Amino acid sequence: MTTAGAHDGALEHLKREGRIVIVGASLAGLRAAETMREKGFAGSLTLIGDEPHEPYDRPPLSKQVLLGNAVADHTTLPRRRAIDADWRLGVPATGLDMAARRVRLGNGDEVEYDRLLIATGVRARPWPNAEEASLDGVFVLRTRDDAVGLQRALTDSPRRVVVIGAGFTGSEIASACRERGLNVTVAERGSAPLVGALGGVIGEVAAEMHREHEVDLRTGVMVTALEGDPSGRVRAAHLSDGATVEADVVVVSLGAQRNTEWLAGSGLGAGPRGIACDAGCRAFDVRGIVTDDIYVAGDVARSPHALFGYQFLSLEHWGNAVAQADTAAHNMLSVSADRRPHLWVPAFWSSQFGVNIKSVGVPPMGTEIMITQGSPAERRFAAVYGYQGRVIAAVTFDNCRWLPFYEHQIESTAPFPPPFSTVDRRPEGNKPVPADFPDPSVPTHGPTITLSGYSPADRKMTFTPGR
Amino acid sequence: MRLVVDLNRCQGYAQCAFLAPDVFAMHGDESLLYNPEAPPEQREDVLRAVAACPVQAILLELTDEDMANMPAADAAGSSAPSGGPR
Ligand SMILES: Cc1cc2nc3c(=O)[nH]c(=O)nc-3n(C[C@H](O)[C@H](O)[C@H](O)COP(=O)(O)OP(=O)(O)OC[C@H]3O[C@@H](n4cnc5c(N)ncnc54)[C@H](O)[C@@H]3O)c2cc1C
Ligand code: SF4
């Protein structure tokens, strides 16, 4: 028998009666499970999730649900097919034994695997002061249960809501509050909403949108403390500029933390930045050696991307979770020659103040920006981001039909500034301006794309060999 | 009936909002809002919306309740992205 034949035999065996375990029973976990069954995996499939719910969809939680157009408990994800899985819901994975190929659970059980997929995502970064965070009326928004609580609090007609952090989620929450006629104050450490994700030029447009909708937007300030009343209900937020804002509801929207603590000491290359993997979704161990039986997908993964200088990207994007899960599932059931790279062009949408915001590519890599169509003043435009003379990303406000065009420009490394002239380009769009991203060493709450690691083109690294 | 719209793919053509207005609605010029769990009475409208979406962005899963009383030809002919019964 040839080596290839032996490999095929092992693979056939895996497909027929192997054991696949997925940790993280949400979007990426579910879509991966479906793909595995579609590819004919007939062995045992176990899905482990610490939430008690079947996989559900998160984007509606800060949109439809807060607007009152959908019920949080009705966001269960539709299935593409039956997956015939052993569901372990409401119990966290607490450890991984790579040598014995075993996942430990919070209830003491152990589950053995031949192939493991890790899709544990991220969680909301909590308010740093635990006592203040536990006051009644203080929320984060990541899970269905969070949304149920927040939606209920908004229905009780609070006199004022304070949103801490003006990333996408914070901005969507502020927008929903205004649509419900609630008074809302947004406190943002950066110079404008969305600056971490889209830069200062677009951030200024977002700031105007907030103000037009009578959001009390405070930028360049931090919330220093939350104050409760004697009964333990939140009543005010104190700001770094000395101001005090009275509020009955406070939503902490400071971005996310990756769910990797359960892998501490396991030997897998997992940490606060996520789990590093190769382009084929195979996880690295702490020594930088790629594993062959452990894969990662979704918000928790960080993987190198050829289009973006092979930098490691962590994406908190719905579409990425779906695409990466699909690739991971395919590769888990393939011999090496048949594996595919995960080379998804990052894409994201948001909906706030009735405006559809979409982006493709990696805006935070952009150093310059140019409005190529429409006009920010009308809240209908397209803008492209440039990096070293090429188009690296694009964003549209109510102009999404142009996005596939710009996506193609990114994929074909088209020149920046774009040489073409569009029918509706305005005078202000004739020249590129600095994209105005905050200093990357200063953390922002919600960039949704994190570049972690240096581009090989930058010579910033010093290697100090261990002794 | 469970559904999810891939809003990266959605181009705001509003076909769905026109065909199943109780489930899909435009919010502003091109943002789409939808009810992720539509009642069985909406089945016909939603199936039409799924079929009419020019970019096939709507993923639908019909539950047993939705399938009850469904004419056989219809059930077999429903468009590709729908999930079918479990
Ligand atoms: C309010 C909100 C709005 C959003 N809006 C948009 C949007 O408009 N556009 C967009 O592109 N994206 C949006 N997103 C992001 C999108 O929802 C995520 O990218 C997507 O959910 C990622 O899926 P995932 O499966 O990788 O991770 P997650 O959905 O985070 O799922 C991970 C699961 O693993 C579980 N888990 C964690 N640790 C363990 C453990 N040790 N054991 C067992 N289980 C564990 C978690 O509880 C969770 O259920 C939004 C997210 C939120 C919260
Ligand atoms: S028909 Fe399709 S593209 Fe049009 S709004 Fe509905 S989901 Fe979006």
Side-chain angles (χ1 to χ4, degrees), chain A residues 61-392:
Chain A
L61 300 179
S62 55
K63 306 175 183 77
Q64 286 100 306
V65 171
L66 290 193
L67 287 170
N69 292 346
V71 182
D73 289 344
H74 286 179
T75 51
T76 304
L77 280 163
R79 306 273 177 89
R80 293 196 314 234
R81 53 161 295 133
I83 54 174
D84 181 24
D86 177 14
W87 293 88
R88 304 286 192 96
L89 295 178
V91 50
T94 51
L96 168 67
D97 184 337
M98 287 172 63
R101 293 186 167 182
R102 235 184 257 147
V103 174
R104 274 192 302 279
L105 305 190
N107 60 8
D109 283 0
E110 296 196 327
V111 190
E112 293 185 28
Y113 62 83
D114 299 306
R115 293 270 190 285
L116 172 67
L117 176 66
I118 301 176
T120 44
V122 302
R123 63 181 180 280
R125 176 170 292 129
W127 183 244
N129 180 316
E131 205 176 307
E132 295 172 8
S134 66
L135 290 169
D136 259 356
V138 177
F139 295 91
V140 294
L141 181 54
R142 178 77 202 174
T143 68
R144 178 188 269 187
D145 298 346
D146 296 335
V148 168
L150 179 56
Q151 148 73 16
R152 197 176 296 138
L154 296 186
T155 311
D156 283 346
S157 310
R159 279 163 304 165
R160 178 166 295 276
V161 178
V162 166
V163 178
I164 309 176
F168 282 107
T169 307
S171 298
E172 288 175 5
I173 294 166
S175 161
C177 288
R178 287 307 302 140
E179 205 158 317
R180 301 177 66 140
L182 300 171
N183 295 319
V184 57
T185 298
V186 172
E188 163 60 45
R189 174 171 54 186
S191 59
L194 312 183
V195 285
L198 298 174
V201 174
I202 302 301
E204 214 29 65
V205 181
E208 282 164 25
M209 249 161 54
H210 280 248
R211 297 202 170 103
E212 266 159 34
H213 289 85
E214 289 165 34
V215 171
D216 169 30
L217 175 67
R218 320 268 183 110
T219 55
V221 294
M222 279 165 66
V223 174
T224 49
L226 300 176
E227 184 189 324
D229 64 15
S231 72
R233 268 207 70 86
V234 71
R235 91 169 159 207
H238 297 282
L239 309 186
S240 55
D241 61 2
T244 299
V245 183
E246 289 189 26
D248 319 307
V249 173
V250 172
V251 192
V252 178
S253 201
L254 293 173
Q257 290 175 321
R258 286 157 221 284
N259 290 318
T260 53
E261 291 80 355
W262 67 282
L263 294 162
S266 66
L268 202 66
R273 287 170 155 188
I275 303 168
C277 63
D278 72 358
C281 309
R282 293 182 299 176
F284 287 116
D285 73 10
V286 286
R287 303 165 301 171
I289 298 175
V290 80
T291 59
D292 211 23
D293 48 0
I294 306 178
Y295 289 69
V296 285
D299 285 10
V300 77
R302 45 187 292 252
S303 65
H305 201 307
L307 255 187
F308 304 101
Y310 291 98
Q311 289 201 77
F312 279 82
L313 301 182
S314 303
L315 307 174
E316 292 170 32
H317 295 172
W318 189 93
N320 180 66
V322 174
Q324 198 167 19
D326 198 57
T327 302
H330 169 87
N331 290 345
M332 285 168 84
L333 297 172
S334 300
V335 292
S336 58
D338 295 335
R339 290 192 186 129
R340 302 196 303 240
H342 171 60
L343 291 179
W344 193 69
V345 179
F348 180 87
W349 81 90
S350 171
S351 171
Q352 43 190 275
F353 306 105
V355 173
N356 189 26
I357 303 177
K358 284 192 167 192
S359 91
V360 290
V362 182
M365 262 180 96
T367 49
E368 292 175 289
I369 188 171
M370 180 165 159
I371 310 292
T372 46
Q373 283 171 288
S375 141
E378 290 159 23
R379 311 282 177 266
R380 178 184 288 279
F381 64 92
V384 298
Y385 293 82
Y387 171 72
Q388 297 186 344
R390 56 177 276 221
V391 173
I392 203 84

Side-chain angles (χ1 to χ4, degrees), chain A residues 79 179 356 358 380 401, chain B residues 7 10-12 27 29 61:
Chain A
R79 306 273 177 89
E179 205 158 317
N356 189 26
K358 284 192 167 192
R380 178 184 288 279
R401 276 159 229 179
Chain B
L7 290 167
C10 168
Q11 306 257 324
H27 188 238
D29 285 346
E61 179 193 7

